[in-house]
Amino acid sequence: APPVDRAYLQSVWDGWGTLDAAHQTRFYAQGPHVYFDEAPLKYDSWGAYERGSAEILKTFKSAKFTINNDLKIHPAGNLVWATATVDQDATLTDGKMDVTTFRWTVILTRENSQWLIVHEHVSRPTE
């Protein structure tokens, strides 16, 4: 598998920017894995995450996500974990802008010559 690098991780966020959760299946491991997102508290599998995200994405008209320069990638054999802040520049279907920076922690494992996300944590700082 090619190494996990900034370009690969940004492609994950570019995929979310399509506002099509099904498009993201290629990045996430199937089966019982835990994903923490802003709402609800957690998902216990990619299938649940995909369904929940699809509902949330319906509230977006457009979105762009950019990994900031604080990205840290930590290879550890067949695992890689990374942390970063990510800028979101979105327009909701009601016309409101949603511009924020959130935290992202991700763990990937190598499966069949590709890197798949087995855990992810996305959160906004409390204001």
Side-chain angles (χ1 to χ4, degrees), residues 2 29 36 62 103 109:
F36 294 118
S62 66
R103 303 174 193 99
T109 188

Side-chain angles (χ1 to χ4, degrees), residues 43-104:
Y43 298 98
D44 291 322
S45 68
W46 166 247
Y49 195 13
E50 179 183 8
R51 287 186 300 278
S53 296
E55 290 302 310
I56 293 167
L57 292 172
K58 288 179 185 178
T59 67
F60 285 77
K61 180 177 180 183
S62 66
K64 179 178 168 101
F65 303 97
T66 305
I67 296 174
N68 291 313
N69 289 332
D70 59 354
L71 172 66
K72 302 289 186 218
I73 300 171
H74 308 275
N78 283 331
L79 293 174
V80 171
W81 62 279
T83 60
T85 57
V86 177
D87 287 338
Q88 172 186 290
D89 186 356
T91 303
L92 304 178
T93 55
D94 64 6
K96 291 182 182 172
M97 298 296 296
D98 187 2
V99 178
T100 191
T101 300
F102 53 85
R103 303 174 193 99
W104 185 46

Side-chain angles (χ1 to χ4, degrees), residues 31-42:
H33 301 287
V34 174
Y35 305 104
F36 294 118
D37 204 351
E38 288 184 54
L41 180 62
K42 73 175 185 172

